[in-house]
Amino acid sequence: MRFLKKTEQEQQKNELTISFHATVALIGLFGGFIWSVIGYISFYLNFTRVGPALALMPWALGDWKNGWLGQLIGIVFISLLSIAVAFLYRMIFAKVNHWWPGVVFGFVLWAVVFGVLQPIFPGLKPLPSLDLNTIITNICLYVVYGLFIGYSISYEYHERTVHEGESIQS
């Protein structure tokens, strides 16, 4: 019995724990990567006319941004940008351990990109000019992305504060 207690204590000491901020950054990175790859697949299969390269449109010069290289660099850019989006979610909704804030957050992100920021994206038509498939596909992608980011962060916050008693600073 004594041997088991010692083994459990050693095992707990040996477990690698990362900070909550690092966890949020990883959730953002992988969420951006996963959902921008799915967005590229949707673009490739013609479910939407907007691919990940849209994120490069305000800055990138040349026609390469419209090809596969632009889509690939767009995926990397969205993955990195998603880290900041994850921290934004963490500041606003991390304490709400439910799925609906993530869905709302994703829909608001879609509205900001396709409504408010549309003028800075030269390749993006105004919302009324987009076809229904593009609108529905992108709403779904943004909502599921928000759900992934939101629920993952809220769940991790809840696990660390309630179950482990960790103090997470705002």
Side-chain angles (χ1 to χ4, degrees), residues 106-119:
F107 185 77
V108 169
L109 278 177
W110 175 83
V112 167
V113 170
F114 284 83
V116 177
L117 297 179
Q118 182 272 331

Side-chain angles (χ1 to χ4, degrees), residues 140-169:
C140 290
L141 284 171
Y142 275 77
V143 164
V144 178
Y145 165 75
L147 180 64
F148 178 86
I149 294 287
Y151 199 72
S152 298
I153 291 171
S154 295
Y155 178 81
E156 186 67 25
Y157 182 88
H158 180 75
E159 285 295 307
R160 287 180 184 240
T161 56
V162 173
H163 293 295
E164 297 175 11
E166 185 178 327
S167 176
I168 297 175
Q169 297 175 357

Side-chain angles (χ1 to χ4, degrees), residues 4 23 31 49 52 68 84 94-95 114 122-123 149 158:
L4 288 176
T23 303
R49 300 202 186 281
W68 67 270
K95 294 180 182 180
F114 284 83
I149 294 287
H158 180 75

Side-chain angles (χ1 to χ4, degrees), residues 10-11 18 20 24 26 31 34 45 58 75 78 93 101 121 157 167 170:
E10 287 176 2
Q11 191 175 27
I18 60 175
F20 182 64
V24 169
L26 286 173
I34 291 166
L45 296 175
I75 289 170
I78 290 170
F93 291 121
F121 298 113
Y157 182 88
S167 176
S170 296

Side-chain angles (χ1 to χ4, degrees), residues 5-133:
K5 285 184 180 179
K6 186 176 182 182
T7 305
E8 288 175 14
Q9 290 173 350
E10 287 176 2
Q11 191 175 27
Q12 287 177 353
K13 288 179 184 177
N14 291 336
E15 287 182 9
L16 176 67
T17 57
I18 60 175
S19 71
F20 182 64
H21 294 298
T23 303
V24 169
L26 286 173
I27 289 169
L29 182 72
F30 286 109
F33 178 76
I34 291 166
W35 294 106
S36 61
V37 167
I38 292 173
Y40 176 65
I41 293 169
S42 299
F43 173 74
Y44 184 77
L45 296 175
N46 294 320
F47 288 118
T48 179
R49 300 202 186 281
V50 180
L54 175 72
L56 302 175
M57 294 298 169
W59 300 285
L61 302 173
D63 287 336
W64 63 269
K65 67 184 173 215
N66 298 321
W68 67 270
L69 181 61
Q71 300 297 335
L72 182 65
I73 294 172
I75 289 170
V76 171
F77 182 75
I78 290 170
S79 298
L80 295 174
L81 183 64
S82 184
I83 295 171
V85 172
F87 277 103
L88 178 66
Y89 183 91
R90 185 246 183 270
M91 288 184 338
I92 299 171
F93 291 121
K95 294 180 182 180
V96 182
N97 190 25
H98 211 276
W99 59 268
W100 62 267
V103 170
V104 171
F105 187 74
F107 185 77
V108 169
L109 278 177
W110 175 83
V112 167
V113 170
F114 284 83
V116 177
L117 297 179
Q118 182 272 331
I120 70 166
F121 298 113
L124 183 61
K125 294 178 183 176
L127 197 55
S129 302
L130 291 173
D131 61 297
L132 194 58
N133 286 340

